[in-house]
PDB file of all heavy atoms in Angstrom:
ATOM      1  N   GLY A 477      15.522 -30.583 -56.018  1.00 80.00           N
ATOM      2  CA  GLY A 477      16.767 -31.131 -56.665  1.00 80.00           C
ATOM      3  C   GLY A 477      18.028 -30.765 -55.876  1.00 80.00           C
ATOM      4  O   GLY A 477      19.075 -31.131 -56.301  1.00 80.00           O
ATOM      5  N   LYS A 478      17.889 -30.137 -54.703  1.00 86.00           N
ATOM      6  CA  LYS A 478      19.116 -29.705 -54.022  1.00 86.00           C
ATOM      7  C   LYS A 478      18.784 -29.619 -52.510  1.00 86.00           C
ATOM      8  O   LYS A 478      17.772 -29.119 -52.064  1.00 86.00           O
ATOM      9  CB  LYS A 478      19.579 -28.388 -54.400  1.00 86.00           C
ATOM     10  CG  LYS A 478      20.906 -27.936 -53.834  1.00 86.00           C
ATOM     11  CD  LYS A 478      21.385 -26.686 -54.543  1.00 86.00           C
ATOM     12  CE  LYS A 478      22.744 -26.284 -54.027  1.00 86.00           C
ATOM     13  NZ  LYS A 478      23.231 -24.989 -54.720  1.00 86.00           N
ATOM     14  N   VAL A 479      19.675 -30.152 -51.676  1.00 89.00           N
ATOM     15  CA  VAL A 479      19.619 -30.042 -50.204  1.00 89.00           C
ATOM     16  C   VAL A 479      20.950 -29.582 -49.751  1.00 89.00           C
ATOM     17  O   VAL A 479      21.976 -30.143 -50.103  1.00 89.00           O
ATOM     18  CB  VAL A 479      19.267 -31.427 -49.558  1.00 89.00           C
ATOM     19  CG1 VAL A 479      19.419 -31.343 -48.053  1.00 89.00           C
ATOM     20  CG2 VAL A 479      17.818 -31.849 -49.959  1.00 89.00           C
ATOM     21  N   ARG A 480      21.041 -28.593 -48.838  1.00 89.00           N
ATOM     22  CA  ARG A 480      22.174 -28.059 -48.339  1.00 89.00           C
ATOM     23  C   ARG A 480      22.379 -28.295 -46.900  1.00 89.00           C
ATOM     24  O   ARG A 480      21.322 -28.065 -46.109  1.00 89.00           O
ATOM     25  CB  ARG A 480      22.277 -26.530 -48.597  1.00 89.00           C
ATOM     26  CG  ARG A 480      22.523 -26.112 -50.023  1.00 89.00           C
ATOM     27  CD  ARG A 480      22.804 -24.625 -50.185  1.00 89.00           C
ATOM     28  NE  ARG A 480      21.658 -23.814 -49.792  1.00 89.00           N
ATOM     29  CZ  ARG A 480      21.728 -22.739 -48.990  1.00 89.00           C
ATOM     30  NH1 ARG A 480      22.944 -22.426 -48.589  1.00 89.00           N
ATOM     31  NH2 ARG A 480      20.711 -22.038 -48.657  1.00 89.00           N
ATOM     32  N   LEU A 481      23.528 -28.758 -46.402  1.00 92.00           N
ATOM     33  CA  LEU A 481      23.798 -28.831 -45.023  1.00 92.00           C
ATOM     34  C   LEU A 481      24.774 -27.706 -44.668  1.00 92.00           C
ATOM     35  O   LEU A 481      25.937 -27.670 -45.049  1.00 92.00           O
ATOM     36  CB  LEU A 481      24.503 -30.252 -44.748  1.00 92.00           C
ATOM     37  CG  LEU A 481      23.796 -31.503 -45.229  1.00 92.00           C
ATOM     38  CD1 LEU A 481      24.575 -32.756 -44.883  1.00 92.00           C
ATOM     39  CD2 LEU A 481      22.420 -31.606 -44.599  1.00 92.00           C
ATOM     40  N   HIS A 482      24.258 -26.790 -43.948  1.00 92.00           N
ATOM     41  CA  HIS A 482      24.904 -25.573 -43.702  1.00 92.00           C
ATOM     42  C   HIS A 482      25.311 -25.389 -42.244  1.00 92.00           C
ATOM     43  O   HIS A 482      24.519 -25.704 -41.325  1.00 92.00           O
ATOM     44  CB  HIS A 482      24.062 -24.349 -44.126  1.00 92.00           C
ATOM     45  CG  HIS A 482      24.790 -22.989 -43.959  1.00 92.00           C
ATOM     46  ND1 HIS A 482      24.539 -22.240 -42.860  1.00 92.00           N
ATOM     47  CD2 HIS A 482      25.642 -22.299 -44.695  1.00 92.00           C
ATOM     48  CE1 HIS A 482      25.190 -21.186 -42.959  1.00 92.00           C
ATOM     49  NE2 HIS A 482      25.905 -21.136 -44.045  1.00 92.00           N
ATOM     50  N   ALA A 483      26.519 -25.005 -41.869  1.00 92.00           N
ATOM     51  CA  ALA A 483      26.882 -24.750 -40.490  1.00 92.00           C
ATOM     52  C   ALA A 483      27.735 -23.520 -40.388  1.00 92.00           C
ATOM     53  O   ALA A 483      28.462 -23.113 -41.268  1.00 92.00           O
ATOM     54  CB  ALA A 483      27.787 -25.918 -40.071  1.00 92.00           C
ATOM     55  N   ARG A 484      27.482 -22.801 -39.197  1.00 90.00           N
ATOM     56  CA  ARG A 484      28.266 -21.591 -38.980  1.00 90.00           C
ATOM     57  C   ARG A 484      28.265 -21.257 -37.502  1.00 90.00           C
ATOM     58  O   ARG A 484      27.467 -21.808 -36.750  1.00 90.00           O
ATOM     59  CB  ARG A 484      27.631 -20.423 -39.691  1.00 90.00           C
ATOM     60  CG  ARG A 484      26.263 -20.086 -39.314  1.00 90.00           C
ATOM     61  CD  ARG A 484      25.624 -18.965 -40.195  1.00 90.00           C
ATOM     62  NE  ARG A 484      24.218 -18.754 -39.889  1.00 90.00           N
ATOM     63  CZ  ARG A 484      23.741 -17.854 -38.922  1.00 90.00           C
ATOM     64  NH1 ARG A 484      24.616 -17.181 -38.229  1.00 90.00           N
ATOM     65  NH2 ARG A 484      22.428 -17.697 -38.782  1.00 90.00           N
ATOM     66  N   ARG A 485      29.220 -20.494 -37.060  1.00 88.00           N
ATOM     67  CA  ARG A 485      29.310 -20.056 -35.689  1.00 88.00           C
ATOM     68  C   ARG A 485      28.425 -18.814 -35.521  1.00 88.00           C
ATOM     69  O   ARG A 485      28.538 -17.792 -36.293  1.00 88.00           O
ATOM     70  CB  ARG A 485      30.760 -19.808 -35.304  1.00 88.00           C
ATOM     71  CG  ARG A 485      31.011 -19.372 -33.880  1.00 88.00           C
ATOM     72  CD  ARG A 485      30.953 -20.547 -32.953  1.00 88.00           C
ATOM     73  NE  ARG A 485      31.248 -20.122 -31.573  1.00 88.00           N
ATOM     74  CZ  ARG A 485      32.453 -20.331 -31.032  1.00 88.00           C
ATOM     75  NH1 ARG A 485      33.456 -20.898 -31.705  1.00 88.00           N
ATOM     76  NH2 ARG A 485      32.770 -19.942 -29.759  1.00 88.00           N
TER      77      ARG A 485
END
Side-chain angles (χ1 to χ4, degrees):
K478 187 176 183 179
V479 170
R480 288 188 298 137
L481 307 179
H482 180 265
R484 62 185 173 88
R485 181 76 176 261

